[in-house]
Amino acid sequence: MAAAAAAALRGRAYPLMASVPSFLTWRRLGFRSFCSGQLGFLSQPPEAESTAAAGPVPGLKILETFREEFEIGSRTISIETGKVARFANGSVVITMDETNVLSTVASARGDGARDFLPLTVDYQEKQYAQGVIPTTFMRREGAPKERELLCGRLIDRPIRPLFPPGFYHDVQVMVNVLSSDGKHDPDVMAANATSAALMLSNIPWNGPIGVIRVGRIDGKFVFNPTMDELSLSDLNLVYACTRDRTLMIDVQAREISEKDLQAGLKLAHPEAVKYIEPQIRLAEKAGKKKKEYKLSMISDRTLEKIQSLAEAPIEAVFTDSTYGKFERGEALDKITQAVKAKLEEESDEESLNVLPKAIDMVRKKIIRHRIIKEGVRVDGRQLDEVRPLYCESGTYPILHGSSLFSRGDTQSFDTSFYDNASLIIMTAQYLFFSTLAEKALLAVLPPEDDFPYTVRVNSEVMASDGSTSMATVCGGSMALMDAGIPVREHVAGVSVGLVTEVDPSTGMINDYRILTDILGLEDHLGDMDFKIAGTRKGITAIQLDIKPAGIPVDIICECLEPAQKGRNHILDRMEREICSPRTMGDGSTPRLATLKFSNDLIQRLLGPLGSQRKKIEQETGARIAVSDGTVTIVAKNRSVMEKAKEKVDFVIGREIEVGGIYKGVISSIKEYGAFVEFNGGQQGLLHISELSHEPVSRVSDVVSVGQDLSVMCIGQDVRGNIKLSLKAVLPWAGSEKKNLESQDSVPPKQEVNVWASMENTPICQEDEDGEVEPATNSTPAVVIRSAAECNAQDIAAGQYSIKKSGKGTKTSPRPYNASSGHRDNFRSILTKRKPISSPNQTQMKKENELKDLCGSKPETDSRPENLLHALMQNEAYVKPKSFGSTSVFAGSVKLGDRVTAKVNGRRDFEVGKELHVQCSSFSSKGIPVFSLLEDE
């Protein structure tokens, strides 16, 4: 019976021990047991177990724990105390699913002789909470990260106003994330755990509070959303409150309207209050009695004495609106020194000890009274009036983006840079001077896929007199536009203040005034600093900090309207300075390019062990990253990007464009031209006629093997070989038009033409008047061709006939825009045409069809051989004519004959122009080849 009782007790205290075999707990074998959370030997002998059946087992410590469970939205939450951190003034572990957060509070036992509350909040997220070993050299966490500091601030803001006035003892709050499932953000849980820990402690505090996060997905509000749900939400609202008043608001949104935000605030309040009752129940079970701490208060007699000496001169300073910030401060300092001298004469040590704080209370009373009763502010403005504005963009043109923004005496100089310096180059990172400014501007930045750059906005506050963070928002927005970053629209911010008149007996607000664009002094002596930033469409960021123990949510919602008016007023002035992003045309700005290639081409780019990529990076200074068929090039400026692209194109190759200019290397030289290797190892022919605008006798006089040069793709020959031209990229002194074209290093962007096979090459097409004329393809426009080229065309025609009989030919990718019916009809005439020794009716029909297709004139030699020559050249279709009135046909032309020819083609020759030509040779089929004669 005793053994069973011991086993049952052991199972309740340590659930994991219930499954351990009993022999493993035998003391005689010297086994250890768990005791008070540490390993140690049991102090009682085994015989004692039988005597402890009716009571606690000696040597076994039982931890008394208290727990409360409740539901918020669809989440079950529990708060527990008594198990860990028992020496702290108060400690609570809060649990939601598998996320557990511990919050402890402790207070010093000093005298609290100071005039402020030294409250410290440390929030820690160590990697053990997610089962991860730190990757640092020492395998330990380093200094607090930015997120940890911000979470600590999120906890500090709602709990600080609830400490009693005059309580100036050291208070430390330590928050540790014990475990995290990655589903929930622990920051809101930490704030609620801290509230519960303060309620359990003996520290005087006027809580509890409730803190909740609200999101909005597809127009529906979601309470305590998960991290995945939050990524789909256009609202991230953290709301803290007491039972009836708001303590803190923190918002990041995607241009949510004021009306929708008000609805979210009013829905968040009752849900946040649900956290309060479980804390009260837990404090009733396990809370400590509040300790009597010494409060640093000013006696009524001392305050009245100092007020009688300083009130009149202070009021005179505040009624003079001509005082600036520093002039006003100097005048107030003189008043303080005068009062101090008077008290020293009277040897009033008590009043001298509290003089600075008492003077501050007098100033506060005077300013608040003037605002409430007279509606007059320190600088003479109306309650809803914004200070004078100054905006300037492009302050320093050498920077990517720069701006200068001034609102009253507050001035901010902002710069914006974008770069590819991030090691993860496809992840856009945004680094901002102010966290609030970061939230405000993120809503208008382009998506990562559209603008995959690292963006940094830096703000230098040149002068401060209230709301520098909102000046950072305005200046940062202008700097982004000045840098050419494609933000959708401007973001502006303004700070709204509040002055209340409270009934001392009940603590209720009797009267209040809302102030737009508060000064630093109004922020210090007022009750609220409500920073609101957004666009014309809606709010993007909010930060609310208050000094009293809460403000009704209705007053908070009322502040949104004057804030919207002030924001639109500032946006009007900003848009007059710069209203849209500038063009990113500066060659000094960073560049990023993303290219898609097959795995084979990527392997060619990388080379053995990445040697090819490293070579390109060393030669150009750019960086190349490869991932899943995507090649990303990042460069410091445009020139570096162009060099890197040229290198990549040379290694990998790209789709060939007619008129495109390519870098190549001479691989071999022949009598008729040179072969150029370009575009990832492709070969192209640089004919001797395309080397220069001047006659060239030998190819080696112009180019040499291994020479780097730029060539233009001008088409392909009848064999499908790529034809290149060097003279097309060289200036031509005889043509002003060519000179103008050659001045551009990069030809104008044109529609991409890809290669097509000869069977897809259009032969005829209709012009604008509906007449059929020889079609235009990408072959260069020259007047005369060599006999070898004509022979090649004749051979191609023969190959076409073979293909029609069932054998295929090599094709290359090039679309065409002519009627396939015209092409097929014309080629059927060519392949089926018989010799013209005895024309018959069928033959004449075919010739007429040919004339209709090609637009031949009656005097033109319409024999298919001659028409084939002219049409296959597709350049200058020459109609031979005699010098006199007698027509000359191609069949009767002899070598050396000089005739006048009429041009029927298009290209570089005027259609219908008569030229003097001489028969210089014949093709293998007897087709005459003409050369142009200079006018005598």
Side-chain angles (χ1 to χ4, degrees):
M1 181 69 179
L9 185 60
R10 183 174 68 248
R12 288 196 302 271
Y14 302 102
L16 294 177
M17 294 293 293
S19 60
V20 176
S22 60
F23 71 85
L24 291 180
T25 62
W26 293 346
R27 275 69 168 178
R28 67 184 61 144
L29 297 179
F31 287 109
R32 288 186 171 187
S33 64
F34 289 96
C35 187
S36 299
Q38 297 181 354
L39 288 173
F41 289 99
L42 291 177
S43 59
Q44 297 294 332
E47 294 77 8
E49 291 187 3
S50 60
T51 62
V57 178
L60 181 65
K61 186 173 184 177
I62 299 176
L63 301 179
E64 186 179 13
T65 61
F66 301 91
R67 183 184 181 92
E68 288 289 335
E69 287 191 0
F70 54 98
E71 290 187 0
I72 303 292
S74 60
R75 316 291 180 192
T76 299
I77 303 171
S78 67
I79 51 177
E80 184 182 65
T81 188
K83 183 179 290 187
V84 295
R86 297 166 64 89
F87 282 173
N89 291 52
S91 66
V92 169
V93 175
I94 187 170
T95 302
M96 183 188 298
D97 293 341
E98 297 299 326
T99 300
N100 295 270
V101 180
L102 167 67
S103 179
T104 61
V105 296
S107 178
R109 295 180 174 86
D111 57 358
R114 55 179 65 90
D115 60 352
F116 67 96
L117 171 62
L119 173 63
T120 304
V121 180
D122 289 329
Y123 175 91
Q124 293 182 333
E125 290 180 347
K126 294 191 175 180
Q127 296 190 33
Y128 72 79
Q130 288 188 325
V132 178
I133 299 176
T135 58
T136 60
F137 178 77
M138 299 299 295
R139 297 296 187 266
R140 290 176 176 84
E141 286 81 0
K145 297 182 286 294
E146 179 183 2
R147 168 179 161 75
E148 293 175 320
L149 298 176
L150 295 176
C151 289
R153 175 66 178 147
L154 192 72
I155 299 169
D156 180 288
R157 287 159 56 191
I159 66 175
R160 184 179 290 271
L162 298 182
F163 287 93
F167 179 80
Y168 298 144
H169 297 266
D170 285 295
V171 177
Q172 185 183 53
V173 177
M174 296 291 297
V175 181
N176 289 276
V177 180
L178 302 180
S179 67
S180 174
D181 56 8
K183 297 180 180 179
H184 305 282
D185 194 330
D187 55 355
V188 170
M189 298 174 59
N192 286 291
T194 301
S195 173
L198 285 169
M199 289 293 295
L200 293 172
S201 70
N202 57 3
I203 302 173
W205 188 65
N206 299 322
I209 66 171
V211 185
I212 193 170
R213 171 173 272 112
V214 181
R216 189 177 71 165
I217 303 174
D218 296 331
K220 296 181 180 179
F221 290 102
V222 180
F223 301 107
N224 287 332
T226 63
M227 299 293 287
D228 293 337
E229 290 174 337
L230 202 60
S231 63
L232 303 175
S233 174
D234 61 355
L235 173 67
N236 184 2
L237 164 64
V238 179
Y239 181 84
C241 64
T242 61
R243 286 187 181 275
D244 55 356
R245 295 194 177 188
T246 301
L247 288 168
M248 186 268 296
I249 297 174
D250 196 274
V251 173
Q252 180 178 359
R254 300 174 186 170
E255 298 177 288
I256 186 173
S257 66
E258 280 75 9
K259 181 179 179 181
D260 291 344
L261 181 62
Q262 289 184 34
L265 294 175
K266 292 182 178 180
L267 287 174
H269 188 89
E271 293 295 323
V273 170
K274 294 180 181 179
Y275 283 94
I276 294 178
E277 192 61 34
Q279 298 179 46
I280 296 175
R281 295 197 301 265
L282 188 65
E284 291 174 352
K285 296 178 183 179
K288 300 176 182 178
K289 182 180 179 181
K290 297 299 180 181
K291 183 180 178 181
E292 295 293 334
Y293 282 83
K294 178 182 179 180
L295 302 180
S296 300
M297 303 294 292
I298 301 177
S299 64
D300 294 339
R301 183 191 68 82
T302 301
L303 182 60
E304 290 176 359
K305 181 178 181 179
I306 295 176
Q307 181 176 346
S308 63
L309 296 173
E311 184 175 16
I314 290 177
E315 187 171 3
V317 172
F318 286 149
T319 55
D320 190 350
S321 60
T322 60
Y323 277 110
K325 175 182 179 179
F326 294 103
E327 293 81 3
R328 188 185 302 114
E330 291 175 358
L332 293 174
D333 287 341
K334 291 179 180 179
I335 295 172
T336 303
Q337 294 301 322
V339 175
K340 182 180 179 179
K342 182 68 175 177
L343 295 176
E344 287 175 346
E345 291 177 1
E346 299 176 359
S347 300
D348 190 347
E349 294 295 332
E350 180 183 355
S351 298
L352 287 173
N353 291 334
V354 296
L355 177 61
K357 187 171 182 61
I359 290 291
D360 189 68
M361 294 177 66
V362 174
R363 292 190 300 174
K364 182 176 181 179
K365 180 179 179 180
I366 294 173
I367 290 179
R368 295 168 68 90
H369 182 271
R370 283 173 52 81
I371 292 175
I372 291 290
K373 299 303 181 181
E374 303 175 20
V376 178
R377 302 173 67 170
V378 175
D379 56 356
R381 285 183 293 147
Q382 299 297 319
L383 300 181
D384 60 349
E385 184 179 351
V386 177
R387 287 173 286 176
L389 302 172
Y390 174 82
C391 298
E392 178 182 294
S393 63
T395 307
Y396 298 101
I398 194 173
L399 302 176
H400 292 176
S402 59
S403 67
L404 191 65
F405 178 84
S406 298
R407 185 179 58 243
D409 291 333
T410 299
Q411 186 179 68
S412 173
F413 170 66
D414 296 82
T415 57
S416 175
F417 299 87
Y418 56 96
D419 199 359
N420 308 303
S422 175
L423 293 178
I424 308 175
I425 57 178
M426 291 305 297
T427 301
Q429 303 176 19
Y430 304 99
L431 310 175
F432 289 87
F433 167 81
S434 168
T435 303
L436 181 60
E438 176 183 0
K439 293 179 179 179
L441 296 175
L442 275 175
V444 298
L445 284 171
E448 181 180 324
D449 293 339
D450 297 340
F451 193 77
Y453 291 90
T454 298
V455 177
R456 184 175 191 266
V457 176
N458 185 78
S459 180
E460 301 289 345
V461 178
M462 299 301 180
S464 174
D465 190 12
S467 191
T468 55
S469 61
M470 294 295 95
T472 298
V473 172
C474 301
S477 180
M478 290 194 298
L480 288 171
M481 281 197 176
D482 185 56
I485 298 173
V487 294
R488 290 188 288 105
E489 54 184 315
H490 268 311
V491 180
V494 67
S495 186
V496 176
L498 179 70
V499 175
T500 60
E501 185 180 76
V502 181
D503 187 344
S505 59
T506 62
M508 301 299 294
I509 297 177
N510 295 332
D511 200 1
Y512 64 91
R513 295 290 184 271
I514 298 173
L515 311 178
T516 302
D517 184 23
I518 57 176
L519 296 169
L521 186 61
E522 293 170 335
D523 181 12
H524 173 65
L525 302 178
D527 296 328
M528 178 182 75
D529 184 9
F530 194 9
K531 304 179 184 70
I532 306 173
T535 66
R536 294 190 185 275
K537 296 179 181 179
I539 295 171
T540 59
I542 283 179
Q543 180 176 305
L544 170 64
D545 296 319
I546 64 172
K547 296 181 181 67
I551 296 174
V553 67
D554 292 336
I555 296 180
I556 299 296
C557 294
E558 186 180 346
C559 295
L560 296 177
E561 182 179 355
Q564 183 183 18
K565 292 180 180 179
R567 185 172 75 247
N568 290 337
H569 172 72
I570 297 172
L571 287 171
D572 290 339
R573 180 63 186 87
M574 292 169 60
E575 289 174 354
R576 286 198 298 269
E577 176 62 24
I578 179 171
C579 60
S580 61
R582 303 192 193 278
T583 304
M584 295 174 57
D586 187 359
S588 63
T589 55
R591 292 292 187 271
L592 185 146
T594 303
L595 309 174
K596 297 286 186 179
F597 295 109
S598 65
N599 291 333
D600 294 339
L601 294 179
I602 289 180
Q603 289 297 327
R604 185 191 302 175
L605 173 64
L606 294 176
L609 301 177
S611 59
Q612 187 65 49
R613 177 178 63 176
K614 293 178 182 178
K615 180 181 178 182
I616 295 176
E617 291 179 339
Q618 292 174 356
E619 292 178 351
T620 63
R623 290 196 301 166
I624 301 175
V626 178
S627 176
D628 298 331
T630 301
V631 176
T632 303
I633 307 174
V634 292
K636 184 178 181 180
N637 50 47
R638 183 172 58 192
S639 62
V640 174
M641 175 61 72
E642 291 175 354
K643 292 178 182 177
K645 281 187 174 182
E646 287 178 0
K647 296 290 185 181
V648 171
D649 289 343
F650 184 81
V651 174
I652 289 183
R654 56 188 170 95
E655 194 173 47
I656 301 174
E657 301 179 15
V658 175
I661 298 178
Y662 303 89
K663 295 287 186 179
V665 179
I666 301 295
S667 59
S668 63
I669 295 178
K670 306 296 181 182
E671 293 182 359
Y672 49 85
F675 285 97
V676 180
E677 183 179 347
F678 74 108
N679 198 41
Q682 298 193 45
Q683 291 280 346
L685 175 61
L686 178 58
H687 194 265
I688 188 172
S689 62
E690 296 295 333
L691 288 173
S692 175
H693 295 294
E694 302 296 331
V696 177
S697 58
R698 290 192 305 176
V699 178
S700 58
D701 293 340
V702 181
V703 294
S704 60
V705 175
Q707 178 181 344
D708 295 330
L709 73 170
S710 297
V711 292
M712 177 185 289
C713 175
I714 57 176
Q716 68 175 146
D717 60 19
V718 293
R719 298 180 181 178
N721 297 322
I722 301 172
K723 299 171 61 178
L724 305 174
S725 175
L726 178 61
K727 69 179 183 181
V729 297
L730 299 177
W732 186 12
S735 173
E736 183 178 353
K737 177 180 178 181
K738 293 292 183 180
N739 283 334
L740 293 176
E741 292 177 352
S742 64
Q743 291 175 4
D744 299 328
S745 59
V746 179
K749 186 67 178 175
Q750 60 184 9
E751 184 179 355
V752 175
N753 295 323
V754 289
W755 298 109
S757 61
M758 283 300 300
E759 66 170 336
N760 290 335
T761 303
I763 301 302
C764 300
Q765 62 183 15
E766 294 185 0
D767 59 12
E768 298 178 356
D769 299 329
E771 296 183 2
V772 180
E773 59 180 7
T776 302
N777 63 7
S778 60
T779 313
V782 295
V783 179
I784 301 302
R785 276 188 157 174
S786 66
E789 290 178 308
C790 294
N791 292 336
Q793 293 171 348
D794 296 339
I795 295 173
Q799 290 175 345
Y800 176 79
S801 300
I802 295 174
K803 181 185 176 184
K804 295 291 286 187
S805 64
K807 296 183 179 180
T809 59
K810 182 178 71 173
T811 62
S812 54
R814 186 179 186 83
Y816 64 95
N817 56 4
S819 169
S820 60
H822 285 178
R823 182 190 70 243
D824 294 339
N825 193 10
F826 171 73
R827 289 190 170 162
S828 66
I829 296 172
L830 286 181
T831 56
K832 297 179 182 180
R833 183 74 173 90
K834 296 181 180 181
I836 57 173
S837 58
S838 57
N840 53 30
Q841 184 176 1
T842 304
Q843 179 180 343
M844 296 300 297
K845 181 179 179 180
K846 293 294 184 180
E847 291 178 1
N848 291 333
E849 291 177 359
L850 190 60
K851 293 177 182 179
D852 293 337
L853 286 171
C854 301
S856 60
K857 302 300 180 180
E859 65 274 15
T860 303
D861 183 0
S862 59
R863 286 180 292 174
E865 293 86 350
N866 292 339
L867 288 174
L868 171 64
H869 179 203
L871 291 174
M872 291 297 287
Q873 287 186 43
N874 195 20
E875 295 155 354
Y877 171 37
V878 180
K879 297 194 303 178
K881 295 175 62 178
S882 67
F883 289 108
S885 60
T886 305
S887 297
V888 178
F889 294 96
S892 61
V893 174
K894 299 179 181 179
L895 188 63
D897 286 352
R898 296 187 178 186
V899 296
T900 300
K902 186 175 183 180
V903 177
N904 273 11
R906 307 195 308 184
R907 290 307 174 94
D908 293 348
F909 297 92
E910 181 180 355
V911 176
K913 182 179 180 180
E914 293 186 352
L915 303 174
H916 294 290
V917 295
Q918 180 179 359
C919 180
S920 57
S921 62
F922 292 88
S923 69
S924 61
K925 289 192 176 183
I927 300 174
V929 179
F930 298 97
S931 60
L932 184 62
L933 295 175
E934 296 183 1
D935 294 335
E936 298 179 355

